[in-house]
Amino acid sequence: MQYNYDMTTADLVDKLYGVKTYQNTSANNNTVQTTPTQIVSNDPGALQMTLINLGANDMYIWVDESVSSTKGILIAANGGSYEINFTTYMKMPTYSWWGVAPAGATAIAVLRESILQ
């Protein structure tokens, strides 16, 4: 079977929302420490963010440096992930996000889709 695409997924997203977008894979830090670590800065054009815990230690994320094991969203070790988008969570993808890994530093990966300025 041969497919003939006149429009790409990027074209469809651009048409649906009326803006051009891009995937930003740069984070402030690729490792979350045992003390609060800023993961991404505020991005007023962010539409979606996926955060993946690549390391061997659990981590917690929150929207400011008060993140802790009692104030945050748990991201499990070894591939746990968290995804937020503006259609469900309104402005939350635009926030500055912080993380902490109380048991030891952990590697992370971040994907963030934003409006092209």
Side-chain angles (χ1 to χ4, degrees):
M1 174 179 247
Q2 183 178 7
Y3 294 98
N4 182 8
Y5 298 107
D6 292 332
M7 183 180 285
T8 67
T9 302
D11 294 334
L12 182 61
V13 170
D14 294 348
K15 186 173 184 172
L16 182 64
Y17 292 110
V19 295
K20 296 252 183 233
T21 63
Y22 73 102
Q23 188 173 80
N24 182 354
T25 57
S26 64
N28 291 8
N29 288 291
N30 293 324
T31 303
V32 170
Q33 303 296 328
T34 58
T35 57
T37 307
Q38 188 177 38
I39 298 169
V40 294
S41 302
N42 174 272
D43 177 358
L47 302 169
Q48 183 274 347
M49 183 180 78
T50 301
L51 191 147
I52 305 160
N53 184 349
L54 304 172
N57 294 305
D58 289 348
M59 64 177 281
Y60 300 84
I61 62 169
W62 197 243
V63 297
D64 61 31
E65 63 273 10
S66 70
V67 63
S68 70
S69 61
T70 59
K71 183 179 181 185
I73 300 164
L74 172 64
I75 311 291
N78 301 311
S81 65
Y82 183 68
E83 189 267 335
I84 53 177
N85 63 70
F86 82 101
T87 59
T88 304
Y89 297 99
M90 306 297 283
K91 294 188 284 182
M92 284 180 66
T94 71
Y95 298 165
S96 170
W97 284 89
W98 291 69
V100 66
T106 191
I108 62 168
V110 178
L111 302 171
R112 205 175 198 187
E113 191 76 17
S114 296
I115 297 169
L116 186 61
Q117 303 294 326

